[in-house]
Amino acid sequence: MIDQFLNYLRYERNRSPLTVQSYEESLRDFEAYIQGLDDCLSLETADADVIRDWVEHLMDAGKKPATVNRGLSALRTFYRFALARGFVDRDPAHMVTGPKKSKPLPQFVRESEMNELLDERLVGDDYNNVRARAILLLLYETGIRLAELVGLDDDDVDMAAMQLKVTGKRDKQRIVPFGSELAEMLRKYMALRDQEADKQCRALFLDKHGNRISRSQVQNLVKKHLSEVTTLKKRSPHVLRHSFATAMLNNGAGLESVKKLLGHESLNTTEIYTHTTFEQLKRVYKEAHPRA
């Protein structure tokens, strides 16, 4: 039955050799497991409880949740195939859920590190320095995504109201406020840009040719300057988005407000930052309490 399933993957579904190999390893492992439990057990007679036992066995053996879920996915696909071909009269795998994947906490730049970068290092008045400071300050002060920053036009910046019109995922628009420091920085940048750059489009941030700045240019700029103040492995625009959310929550902002500012559809997405702030709180406690 396994051999027929693997041929189905190879020749009817045109799956890659590596995918077929991965499926086979999971199925052979499950088959060996159930045979070790009971000589009377087979792929045809295994039920959901046996599959759950196998999942627990893999977890006890130290397999990561992602690995276990891949194996369970292979088993689900196998039993759907077997049921459709009449090899089994029921699908015991479709109701079995795998272990939850652990989500890594988002990395963020500390407030002191951002203050050092913005207040002490990026203080020159040349065009590249002013543009870099405007970009870094905008990312850190508003939490907008890389694509949202690159897509900003001059018309999206309302200096009087001190707010941005941001176009996010699936072209959803939202209004994001900003403070007086960023407003002053944007005015300085735009004045210098209009003097020095041969503007070819409506974009807010331009490259040296006067065209809209690219994603890779912003990524390289952010990585370069964050490297001056942090030892984080990830030094990307998205880290500044994490830093914005963490700073907001650490300084008393409500979760619902941060959700709206970030443009998240679900509060569940934003809640990851509460874990980040709690981890920071635990570090502060351990460093400060004499008996911790």
Side-chain angles (χ1 to χ4, degrees):
M1 195 157 63
I2 291 177
D3 289 338
Q4 290 192 47
F5 172 67
L6 296 175
N7 284 333
Y8 159 77
L9 291 179
R10 289 188 189 98
Y11 305 119
E12 295 186 40
R13 298 293 299 276
N14 199 28
R15 293 296 182 90
S16 71
L18 282 176
T19 299
V20 175
Q21 180 183 345
S22 174
Y23 274 67
E24 181 172 16
E25 288 173 355
S26 296
L27 294 171
R28 300 295 184 194
D29 182 81
F30 177 68
E31 186 178 41
Y33 174 77
I34 61 176
Q35 288 173 350
L37 286 179
D38 189 332
D39 291 339
C40 297
L41 269 178
S42 66
L43 294 171
E44 291 88 342
T45 59
D47 58 17
D49 286 338
V50 171
I51 296 174
R52 291 189 187 96
D53 288 342
W54 177 63
V55 168
E56 187 175 339
H57 161 75
L58 293 176
M59 294 297 294
D60 288 343
K63 300 294 184 183
K64 293 181 179 179
T67 303
V68 176
N69 282 316
R70 278 197 301 271
L72 187 55
S73 176
L75 211 57
R76 290 194 191 106
T77 306
F78 167 75
Y79 273 111
R80 281 199 300 270
F81 162 84
L83 185 63
R85 297 294 171 94
F87 297 142
V88 296
D89 56 12
R90 58 193 170 81
D91 175 0
H94 77 285
M95 292 296 289
V96 180
T97 57
K100 290 184 177 180
K101 295 180 183 179
S102 57
K103 292 184 178 180
L105 293 176
Q107 293 184 312
F108 62 94
V109 185
R110 297 175 184 274
E111 292 178 44
S112 59
E113 294 170 335
M114 287 305 301
N115 290 339
E116 179 188 346
L117 177 60
L118 295 170
D119 298 337
E120 299 175 26
R121 294 180 180 270
L122 280 170
V123 292
D125 288 329
D126 61 282
Y127 176 73
N128 286 335
N129 204 67
V130 169
R131 185 186 65 172
R133 192 172 190 276
I135 287 174
L136 286 160
L137 189 59
L138 191 148
L139 288 169
Y140 180 55
E141 191 168 317
T142 66
I144 65 173
R145 301 176 178 93
L146 170 60
E148 293 169 346
L149 179 137
V150 170
L152 284 175
D153 292 333
D154 285 351
D155 293 343
D156 296 324
V157 184
D158 187 338
M159 289 296 188
M162 289 201 296
Q163 60 189 32
L164 300 174
K165 183 175 69 176
V166 177
T167 303
K169 292 181 177 180
R170 292 179 289 280
D171 292 330
K172 288 188 176 180
Q173 292 189 331
R174 69 184 187 280
I175 301 298
V176 178
F178 57 85
S180 56
E181 181 185 11
L182 179 56
E184 181 183 345
M185 194 66 233
L186 287 174
R187 287 192 187 99
K188 183 177 182 179
Y189 159 72
M190 293 169 79
L192 197 59
R193 177 201 68 188
D194 292 345
Q195 288 176 15
E196 298 196 13
D198 182 15
K199 204 170 192 307
Q200 302 293 321
C201 62
R202 299 180 301 160
L204 174 61
F205 291 108
L206 305 178
D207 63 16
K208 62 182 180 181
H209 303 295
N211 298 310
R212 187 181 300 276
I213 198 169
S214 68
R215 293 170 61 99
S216 61
Q217 286 172 318
V218 176
Q219 288 169 327
N220 291 335
L221 179 152
V222 170
K223 183 177 181 180
K224 172 189 172 185
H225 290 290
L226 286 187
S227 297
E228 299 174 17
V229 295
T230 182
T231 57
L232 290 176
K233 289 184 178 180
K234 292 187 71 176
R235 300 183 291 275
S236 66
H238 212 71
V239 167
L240 289 179
R241 181 168 163 86
H242 295 326
S243 304
F244 161 81
T246 304
M248 290 288 288
L249 290 169
N250 281 341
N251 288 282
L255 198 62
E256 182 66 33
S257 299
V258 175
K259 167 185 172 290
K260 290 178 180 178
L261 290 169
L262 290 173
H264 287 161
E265 291 188 3
S266 169
L267 199 62
N268 292 335
T269 309
T270 318
E271 282 179 340
I272 185 68
Y273 297 108
T274 63
H275 301 299
T276 301
T277 53
F278 184 67
E279 288 300 314
Q280 187 181 43
L281 190 63
K282 286 199 294 186
R283 282 197 298 271
V284 171
Y285 167 75
K286 288 182 177 180
E287 291 170 2
H289 198 284
R291 299 183 72 91

